[in-house]
Amino acid sequence: MSPALALFVSLTLVRPVGPAPARELPPAMPLSGLGLLVSAGVSGGLGLAAHVWRIGILRRGCNGPQHVFPELQITVTGCVDESLRYLGFSTVAPLLNFAAIGLAAGGGTVRGRFTAWNRTRHDRREKIAPAYLGGGAGLLALGLAMYVGSRVALWRDRFGAETCRREGQLTVDCVRDRWSAWLVLTAAGQSLTVAGAGLLAYGVSYARAVRVSRLSELRIEPSVTPRFIGLSLAGRF
């Protein structure tokens, strides 16, 4: 028997005797990443609420009541309180959104590994990683572009004053409108960045976990016949 014929026979005709033993499922992963993703959603929601609140403060302007302190003979308008609130929300909103980005990336990483592992346990390997990778990368790039672009444009536009001056409408209402528009783009950019970071991390983690699980199922076995000695690669694909 030639070596080629012996190899063909060993690959095509040799079958195990009796029914194949039932495959024992490996244990499920204990961490699903759901808590991190929920925390990212809560943090991102609070950050978006802070953005909306400071836009409302900007739109309302200095129309609040006056506060008079007779003992000091000082009159302070509501602009001071409104300005302090605006600065406070301007500090809190980015911190909450940066925390949401980190939580979303961490949650997506854990969730992707969890999903890939459990689908491998049940022999279900849908090719979903490219969709998450493409969608996540697109949202992340768009969100970062919107955030950085709106921040740079806000400073270059002098918080809306330059645009209103060029249009011949340098009024308080015009500046408020332009300033608010840049803040809306900033808030939208940060929200898209959070979503993109989570989707991209999920896709990367899922693809890596599926690749590792496939490699772990490969095995090399010796193949011996009267005229042939070699190695055979076995596994599930």
Side-chain angles (χ1 to χ4, degrees), residues 7-201:
L7 177 61
F8 176 77
V9 171
S10 65
L11 292 177
T12 58
L13 300 181
V14 177
R15 294 292 186 271
V17 179
R23 186 170 68 94
E24 182 180 355
L25 293 178
M29 295 190 67
L31 299 178
S32 65
L34 185 59
L36 290 173
L37 293 177
V38 171
S39 299
V42 172
S43 181
L46 292 175
L48 182 61
H51 272 298
V52 173
W53 202 306
R54 71 170 180 167
I55 291 174
I57 292 174
L58 179 62
R59 299 292 300 176
R60 186 166 58 249
C62 300
N63 298 326
Q66 291 186 342
H67 303 280
V68 181
F69 300 91
E71 65 276 11
L72 299 178
Q73 298 298 318
I74 296 177
T75 301
V76 182
T77 65
C79 291
V80 174
D81 290 337
E82 298 293 337
S83 299
L84 292 177
R85 293 192 187 98
Y86 179 86
L87 293 175
F89 285 117
S90 297
T91 303
V92 171
L95 294 178
L96 289 172
N97 281 284
F98 290 149
I101 292 173
L103 291 170
T109 299
V110 177
R111 189 69 180 180
R113 186 167 59 244
F114 172 84
T115 303
W117 178 259
N118 284 294
R119 288 185 175 181
T120 302
R121 291 174 67 236
H122 299 282
D123 286 332
R124 293 185 291 111
R125 298 187 183 90
E126 293 86 348
K127 294 182 179 180
I128 62 174
Y132 282 94
L133 288 171
L139 287 178
L140 184 62
L142 178 61
L144 289 175
M146 289 180 61
Y147 174 75
V148 175
S150 62
R151 300 304 295 174
V152 172
L154 178 64
W155 285 97
R156 294 187 62 181
D157 197 22
R158 300 295 189 272
F159 298 91
E162 290 297 328
T163 300
C164 294
R165 183 180 290 109
R166 287 195 301 268
E167 295 177 354
Q169 300 178 3
L170 188 55
T171 62
V172 174
D173 291 336
C174 179
V175 173
R176 287 178 181 174
D177 292 339
R178 298 295 184 273
W179 193 343
S180 300
W182 294 126
L183 292 182
V184 169
L185 291 178
T186 300
Q190 289 188 347
S191 298
L192 290 177
T193 302
V194 173
L199 291 176
L200 182 61

